Structure formats: C-alpha cells, structure tokens
C-alpha cells in the first residue's frame, strides 16, 4: 500500500476539464494490449462465432484506446509541451489513426505498431513530470 | 428531397475507420450551438434546479462537440491536407481545448469562441471538397 | 464565419428538456447517409472482416439515426404542430421503424427509404420555422 | 423457478430489430419509480450535495424511462395495434414528453403523472398478448 | 392502475448509491430472456447477416444482464443479508460468470442456465422484503 | 520501448469473456485516484459552478472505478483463486460498495478508503501471476 499511497499523494496533476485530472498513458496502453491479444487469438482460432466476437470486441477496445489518446492530447499537454516537443501533434495524429487501422485489420503487426506509437508518447509523457 | 438525394449520391467520402465515412462539421457545430444556448439560458435564470441542469447538460454537449472534432481530425483529414494546411493540428488542438473550456464556464463568450474555432475548421473542410 | 454566427444569433429555439434546445434534422440525416454508404460499401466488398465490420457499424449508425428522430419527435414538436400536421406521429413511427429495417438489411434501397422519410420530416420541420 | 421458466418458454415475442425481442413495459416503469423515489428523497433532504446528486441521477433515470418507452413504441407495436388503439401514438408522445418534464421538476406529482401514463400503456400492452 | 400505484406508494426501498434506489431482479431477467431468445433464433436461421447480428446484439444484452446483476449485488444487498444467505457472494459470482458464458455460446442451454441462476437470486431477493 | 514490448509479449492473460483479456487493477486505481483528486479540489474551492462540476464528474469516475472492479472480480478471478483467497468475494463487495460511498461524499477520507481496498485487491492480484 505504501508505494501506491505515495503515488496518490503526488499524483500526475494536470490542467484537465476540471483542472485536476489524473492522467496516465497506461489507460491507452492497456486497451491496445487487449487489441493485440485479440488479433493473436483471432489468428489461432477457426471457430466462426469466436472470430466474429473478436471483431466486435476489438472494435470497442481500439475505440477506447483512441479515446484515451485523444483525452491525453487535448487535456494533459499544454502549450509549453508543444513548444518543447513540436512533433507531439503529429505523433498523436498518427497514433489515433493507427488505432483506427487496428479496427480494420486482424494482423497482430498492426496492433504492435499501435503499441509502439503509444510507447513514443509514453516516453515524452514521462519527461514532462 | 431532390437536393438531399443529390447530396447522398455524391456524399462526403473519406478514409474513415470503415473507409466509407460521411463527415460533416455540422455535428460539432450543432452541439456547440447547444452549449452556447445553455450558457445564455443559465445567465437569464435564477432557478437553482434549472441552473444545475444547465451545468449537467452543458457538460455532455461540450463533450459531444469535443468528440465530433476529434473524429474529424483523426478520421477525415489525410496527410495531403496537413501538408496544405499545416495549422490544422494546432487548430483542432485549440478547438478541443476550447470545448473543455466551455465545460468550466457559464460565460457565453466561451461558447462563441468555440463556435469561431469550429467555423475556421469548417472553412478548411469546405476547401477539401 | 459571418453566416454561421448569424445562425447562432438566431438559433433554432425549441422547448426541449432544458427548454432551450437546438434541433436540427441534419443529425438524423448524417447518420442515415452513413448507413446508406455502409450498405453500398458492403455490396462492393467481398472481404469477410470488412463485411462483418459493416454490420457492426451500421447497427450503431442506424441506432443513432433512430435516437435523433425520437428526440426530434418528442422534444421539438409541440401540440400546435400535431394539430397542423396530424400525420407527424405516424411519419415518425414509420421513420424510426425504417431505421430498424436498415439494421436488418444490407440493401441500399432500405437506406434510401430511410433518407426519404427523414426528408419528409425535414420538409415539415422547415415549415415550422 | 417454475413460473419463471414457463414465462421463458412462452416469451413476449415481437417484431423487434432482430425480429425476436422480449418487450416488457416493466423496464420503463422501474425507471419511472426510481424518478419518483428520487423526487421524494429530494424533498425530504436539505443536504446540498445530496440534492445535487438527486438532480444528476434523476436526469439519467428519466432518460432511461424515455428510451424504454421509445423502443416499446417503435419496435413492439405493429400497424394492427395502431388500428385497434389509434390513441397509442399520442399516448406515447405524451408519456415521453412527461419523462422530459420529470427531468425539469423535483415535484413528485410530475413523477406520478409519468407512472400513470406508463400504466395506460401497460393496460393496452397487456391486451395485445 | 390501482395495483401499480400501490406498488409505487410502497416501493422496494434499499440502500443504493443515492440511498433511495428501486431494485428489481426483473431488469436482469428481461435481458437474460432476450439472450435466450436470440440464441433460439440463431439456431433456427441460416441467414449469415441475421446470425452476425444475433452475435452483436446478444453481446450487448448479456452485458446488460451482467451489469444489472452487479448493481443488485453491490447496491441492494446489505451485510445482514450476507449473514443470512452466505451463499449470496458465490451465487452472484457464478451468475455474472454465466452471463459471460452466454456471450461466448449460441447454445440456448447456456441462456437457460443464466435464467436459472437469476431465478435463485430472485428467490432470495423476494425473501428480503 | 523494450520494457513495454516485453510486457506485451508476456501479457496478463486470463479467462475473460473472450478468453483472452488483458486485466490490470491499474484501471480501477486510476479512476479512484481521480475521485480522490476531485474531492480534494472540491474542498479547496468555493466556486459554486466548479463544485457542482466536481459532483458530476466524481459520480462518473466512481462509477468507472466500480465497473473496473466488477470486471476484475467476475472475469479475471477463477475458482482456484477463490479457494486460495476466500476473502476475495467480500473484499470486492466492500470495494465496490466503497466506490458507491465516494459518490455520496466529498470527504477525501472516503476516496482514500477506496484506494486502500483497491490496494488490497492489487496485492492478491500480483500474487496470482
């Protein structure tokens, strides 16, 4: 518990819609991991109902990854961050477009590309703290 | 009906998550108009329950405006558009941030700023067709 | 911007749940156009995953068209409108039923029927202003 | 368990969006009872936070009552029902409008009116089986 | 109407998130009946689009059954109930897991198992009043 | 990126509704941290609109914490876990009830209690891997 409460006492403050949000790229990453896992399971299965459910659930998980990325971009990052990392806008644009790609495809390589882009965002995010 | 069906026969095609989306900044604008209208009604009322409902409903409408803008940015616009209008990324960033501002405020001026930014996006959008 | 701000200054006021709603049949029409577009793309494709996604996304778009129509019917139209256009109740009933039909079918003709019914509603709506 | 399984074996079939829906006005009634209960609790309390939560939760419950009514109207009832009970369209219109009224008010009398209208719908519904 | 209003005057009060909730296992049961109905329709059909829609809609209905059960477990039942029916925790755990099973399967037997578990919960629920 | 991809290559597999879910108590914890942060901001502010928005947003965040906990309980944990940690059912019951308490209160102590219960769940979760 200690570690966790420490983290709470110094949370990742940011100017969110309430001016007090807790941001964490982990939310997008968890959904993207789920997308990748679904793609892998899809490839390994030949059960028609199972594969249809993969498409349905992947659609939702990819959408959630997209939404978590959008919130991070608009609500967490501030003008001084954009000045320091001018590539941020384009990085988020490509990452959210890639989340869209993972809806269209069942190729795990597309899921891995999404995770790599989220990883690049995560690296910048960690430097802002 | 004629005009409308014409519009349907030549719809606003774009590379969306299904590669066949119908995009229209009107969706964001209608929600932003609703946000502005709620702000104006809030100012004119002194009924406590009514004003609390204004805050609740404005929160949702502003969120919908934000989401329609995000979808337009990620799904409608393509690399060639960003090349031609390099200000697009920053314009959408400011517009979605402004949608966040309209949640925090009951000042109609904030709603008008959001509508102006959506208007700027609309002008570029219209040139892409 | 001018035109748009004019539109904002004289918005489409109506007695909504907040007594200040901005109503526009465009919301239902945009979703119905999307439904039609998906049906057309479905017919042109023989990719199994793509076609499954068509069914999933069409289901949602048709539901949104249905919901926008319901809101318009219940919240925008007032007793004096029903007196003047007594066919309104049945028109909305058939239009929302048709939105349901577009979930069941991948035939673009069903999407066009929905758009025609929305067009009839739009004509009455325009006369109320 | 017996009674319930009997009910399952002969469920309330109807032409829904899947042509196999299970309809029950109980869904709308449960939400409307919740709306009424919240109004009563609001009147009995003078705690500011509690009363604000009443407004927030009542908004959602009233919306759910509205949505269940809309689904019943569009998806359960068929042309032969409208012929036999031509008042159905107007009854549903007034009931969904009343669901909207219960958002605006904290007067339990408004919640009771909604329950009465749902009761009238229920009586017709029961005669269709 | 009489009976219904009586029911309203003495509603099923319980400690919910607002301390005034109206709880009824009927909400979960209606969704579970819908799940079972969809499974039966799936078995009777060989239309590919219809069957895909069955999977999509069953996924949602099963999720709703799951959510209604979770709410009942956490919000309606109190420590004294758990003392009297110590099997309650495990019963809800198995019922919500079974709701998950009905997503994975198109075998009506799985839907019936869910309804039986909801029936067991219903029996205990009825004894708490 | 290395660390993250390693984590992806050996993800937290579990029997979810798709038999391939990625589970992580971090999802509940992030929402609960947000609830606590909102409570603290509420106490520091005397702006009426800001405080009303705190209540609205806290309601949603607490609900999300509750839902992430429910999913973890039903979908991640298996009979062998319950055998080894028989307190799990009750722990999740108290944690989801506490998520409900954080809706009712603006006292940061209630938010801290929720985080502590999530911490206890996290400790057991970590031992299952």
């Amino acid at each position: 518990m200690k570690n966790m409460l420490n983290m709470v006492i110094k949370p990742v403050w940011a100017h969110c819609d309430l001016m007090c949000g807790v941001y964490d790229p982990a939310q997008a990453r968890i959904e993207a991991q789920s997308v990748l896992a679904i793609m892998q399971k899809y490839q390994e299965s030949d059960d028609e109902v199972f594969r249809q459910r993969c498409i349905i659930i992947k659609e939702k998980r990819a959408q959630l990854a997209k939404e978590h990325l959008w919130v991070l971009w608009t609500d967490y990052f501030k003008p001084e961050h954009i000045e320091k990392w001018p590539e941020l806008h384009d990085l988020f644009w490509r990452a959210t477009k890639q989340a869209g790609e993972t809806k269209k495809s069942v190729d795990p390589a597309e899921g891995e590309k999404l995770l790599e882009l989220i990883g690049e965002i995560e690296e910048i995010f960690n430097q802002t703290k």
Side-chain angles (χ1 to χ4, degrees), chain A residues 76-92:
Chain A
Y76 175 75
F77 287 103
K78 283 167 288 187
E80 54 264 37
H81 298 133
I82 304 299
E83 234 169 273
K84 199 167 170 192
W85 295 278
E87 72 271 28
L88 259 174
H89 285 340
D90 208 65
L91 179 55
F92 270 101

Side-chain angles (χ1 to χ4, degrees), chain A residues 3-60:
Chain A
N3 282 354
M4 209 187 70
L5 279 182
N6 280 346
M7 203 164 65
V8 172
I9 285 151
K10 292 179 179 179
V12 191
W13 294 108
H15 291 277
C16 74
D17 283 344
L18 195 67
M19 289 159 286
C20 71
V22 174
Y23 295 103
D24 197 330
Q27 292 186 300
R29 200 186 58 230
I30 290 169
E31 301 300 344
Q33 284 172 345
S34 180
V35 166
L36 174 59
I38 293 167
M39 286 162 161
Q40 289 164 338
K41 286 279 166 185
Y42 181 95
Q43 298 299 339
E44 293 160 13
S45 166
D46 54 6
D47 178 276
E48 202 196 352
V49 170
F50 181 82
R51 292 180 80 156
Q52 283 176 23
R53 294 188 61 233
C54 284
I55 306 300
I56 296 168
I57 297 173
K58 182 165 65 65
E59 198 81 16
K60 281 185 200 158

